[in-house]
Amino acid sequence: MEGRKRNEPGHIVAPLQAQESSWASLEFAAQVAKALEVELQGLLLEDEEAFAAASLPFTKAISFQSGAVRNFDIVGLEAAYRASASRAKARVSTIGVQHAVACSFSVLNRFGKQTSSSSSDVLESSTALLVIDRRQIEQWRRQSNRKWLLGVAPIYLVCNPVSTKQTRIRLLYEGKRETLAAAAKISTSLSFTLEVLTLADNRDTLDRRLRQARDWIRRRQIKAKVSGLLTDDREWLHKVTNMTDDDIVLFDRTDLLSSLVG
Amino acid sequence: MQDTTRLEVGKLRWHCDPDQLGFESSDELDAIEKIDGTRRWSEALKFGVSMRRAGYNIFAIGPQGIGKHHITRHLVEDRAKAEPIPEDWCYVYNFSDPHKPNALRLPAKRGRAFKNDVEHLIADLKEVVVATFEGEDYRSRRQMIEQEISDHQESTMSEIEKEASSQSLMLLKTPMGFAFAPVADGEVIQPQDFQKLPAEEQRAIEQKIETLQEKLQKILQQVPLWMRQVQQRVRDLNRETASFAVTGLFDGLLQDYGDLPEIPEHLGTLKADIIANVDGILQMPDKVPGDDDQQASQTPLLRRYGVNLIVDNAENQHAPVIYEDNPTYDRLLGKVEHRSEMGTLVTDFHLIRPGAIHAANQGYLLIDAQRLLSRPMAYEGLKQTLRSGTIRIESLADHYGLVSTTSLEPKPIPHNVKIVLLGERMLYYLLSAYDPEFGELFKVVADFDSEILRDQKSLGQYSRLIAGLAQKADIKPLDKTGMARLLEHSARLADDSSKLTMHAETLREILVEADYWSDAAKRKSVVAADIDKAVEKRDYRVDRIREQTQEHILNQVITIETDSKSVGQLNGLSVIGIGDFSFGRPSRITARVRLGSGDVVDIEREAKLGGPLHSKGVLILSGFLGSRFCVDYPLSLSASLVFEQSYGGVDGDSASAGELIALMSAIADLPLRQAYAITGSVDQGGRVQAIGGVNQKIEGFFDICRKRRLSGEQGVLIPASNKRHLMLRHDVVEAVEAGKFHIYAIETVDQGIELLSGLPAGSRDATGAFPAGSFNAAVADKLKSFADARRKFGAPGHQAGETQGK
């Protein structure tokens, strides 16, 4: 981690929910952390709306496994989250050992406070790379209290960790070389192909960015396909969203992420 | 009389003339390892090994050290060379009853190939299966199945979510499960806001939530069913894919082993099991690098597909001949081992270990009988195997219920093994007497001679045998004098000058030690002096007790007279055995008599120092005295006999002739010459019979006499029937030759009496009386006087005091 350039990802954040489905994205995040030689940080998110619902006198919880109905209250929910946090923490630790990466774990509680973090506030850091499971985005989009997660990190990596066809990283490039470097490292380390889709709202900028990207890639002898797309018409977003589910998408424009998933 | 019974020098020892042997050195001889011939044991062994019927197992009997193991093995191996290589056997997993592994039979040499082929299949299995399951075809078909259910779930949940949304409700996924909550402006209503709502609206919300909960509940209750359906479809797909993947692996095996009756069936079940357990194969961890123990590192699933080859005849060229040196139950019949796994003992068919009987199947198994009988349950186990005709591997601990660990019951393997037990005669006789099954299972006895008759032919063969022993022991050759001396010693070991011992082990030891002394003397071959020295030193090493005993006699701690005359006393001779070494020792036998009712008291017996044979000998004396002297009047004496200064046990009847003469001397009150010692048993008619250890006995008395100075009068009386056993030491022979010592061979007690008393024994004349002045006449007179006295004691009115007064 020595000699890291400014704005390069300094740690990988893997947001976790109290569900088994989170483990796949955690596993993938560990691979990314290993590729970039940075720390992996697991972040368990407490759902504030769940607590609001548990405060209502008549709400019930229906078991995922059996469909059994039981009381749904704050005390029970807190206990369930504590249990989830314990499991998630153990899991993060295990995955860290398996992939030989430094790791930490923290909980973002319903009041928006981060607990038990071993480093600075992960989401306020300017060097976080947030690994998001594409399936989580769908949920977060529906739940307003998590939408904010989609706009706080400087770099996002959207993946579909359960897909067996994940073999390509697509970078939506808008001129930040640190993001380009991160994408190159990840693709090389995981033996994925790299495609750089350069975006600009005018031809001059697009050409300049294309040149920069190609030069950078050529100098480092990286195999990558570089293409450009003007964002001056209405069709560009449609073209971008046509990317397949199996692609890993890396980009640094949060508005673009919102647009893509919203 | 003395002239007829005194033995000439030439009768005292067989002398082997080196010049008559026909060679100068043993290395000129064509060495042999056994002496051929149509001897009983040889015929019996040949018959036993050829007879391939149940129960015709062999018991080769003979004394320890005569080389019966070697000879038997040699003969059996000769036979085995002409017999075919047996079949191979292996144990495999029993898929229908894992507790009872199956035994598979394969033609000779194909077992190892089969095991290797199956191991290759196992090694390739995971790779092939994984490759197939990672293929595009399988993955897309599986994804389709999973996608189908996922879509179904998604759409169902999506409908519920939409319905909730349409009713201003939100479906939340929490760690406690799903929950519905009312929303306002896209967010869950806070409790305080909810309380502000009109009661009717609150009830309506609650009602809506309740309805949705019921709906969701019904959907969730369906989920396990959907999952099961998916799992079943995935399983079906897996089976189909696995079948496709492994068929290629099995085709080759079926082609190679399809001609064998049991293998295709096993391969069929193996394939079916692999297909049924393909999930397990896919989930198996990769091999741990550096773990060389392939079998142990295999998962239980893969281990069960392997082959445990327990009989591998790949290296054999003919029927096996196995000698089991340590015939424990397990080593004979095999066992099921266990290994520790997470603190418990587990086993499987790979841990079945074959026994010697597996290795010897369709061949020969040689076992030392004494070792077999001394190993717990080994003999019983062997008999059970012979009775049943099958080898059943059962743990001894299971027999006794000593362990509760799960074990296996491997399927029994049929056998056709010829057992050859080797042991001493006593074992054979005991087993024959006490084990009713023994005779049925060991019908052939091969009785090894412990010596052979000495003639010109056997001397030639024996010399070649010694040459063979010398070669095998890697020692120098023997020159003709060394060979001649060893042949003489062999006759002495046989205790018979007309025979040669077959105790090859003792001969080998003497050869090795003679070689040592030859080296010490810097000779290039072993000569007579080396043999003499080897024998002398062997004796000397174990000679302490003999020396001590002789010292006690010479110091008169033990009284042995060698030059005077005494009444009722003479020198008897006994043999003391210490391990392999034995020596003769003179003992003073004394007899005392008095008036009595015909009892001859054996003091040794009364003191519980005499054995039954000795007592028998003493009882015979009464019979002799009665029949010779007291035909028409009662034997009216009480006599006591004792081995003076004997503190150990006495057995055998070899002193009975001496005891009789001592008793008669006491009766007749006539002295006996103590310069003589006598050995020999006697019958009721007064005939002197053969005894054992004649050489040692003579030498024992000779040593005492020589150390006291040979007077020329001393000598030993031996039974005439022991003449052929004489192989006396050279120093004894030389003393006899010089007239300093004498050996007399007597046939009757009377001959002994005359030698010992110097008086004629005397025979009854026509009137039935013994001649006056004869030894027997004195005995007869005294016995008559005893009878008369006894009659007087029995007369009416007779008082004890009167007799004493007279």
Side-chain angles (χ1 to χ4, degrees), chain B residues 491-509:
Chain B
R492 180 176 164 99
L493 288 173
D495 265 334
D496 191 332
S497 61
S498 63
K499 290 185 175 175
L500 298 168
T501 184
M502 289 299 288
H503 210 283
E505 182 56 24
T506 307
L507 292 176
R508 196 189 64 80
E509 287 170 8

Side-chain angles (χ1 to χ4, degrees), chain A residues 55 58 60 62 67 70 142, chain B residues 161 176 178 191 194 213 217:
Chain A
S55 307
F58 52 84
K60 303 280 183 196
I62 305 163
R70 54 180 168 163
R142 289 200 301 271
Chain B
E161 275 187 288
M176 292 181 72
F178 289 112
F194 183 77
Q213 274 175 352
Q217 212 175 345

Side-chain angles (χ1 to χ4, degrees), chain B residues 690-716:
Chain B
I691 45 79
V694 66
N695 294 306
Q696 288 86 345
K697 285 175 177 172
I698 293 170
E699 287 160 4
F701 189 65
F702 171 79
D703 286 341
I704 296 298
C705 294
R706 189 188 57 185
K707 285 178 181 172
R708 283 183 174 167
R709 196 180 67 80
L710 291 169
S711 63
E713 295 296 318
Q714 292 138 335
V716 177

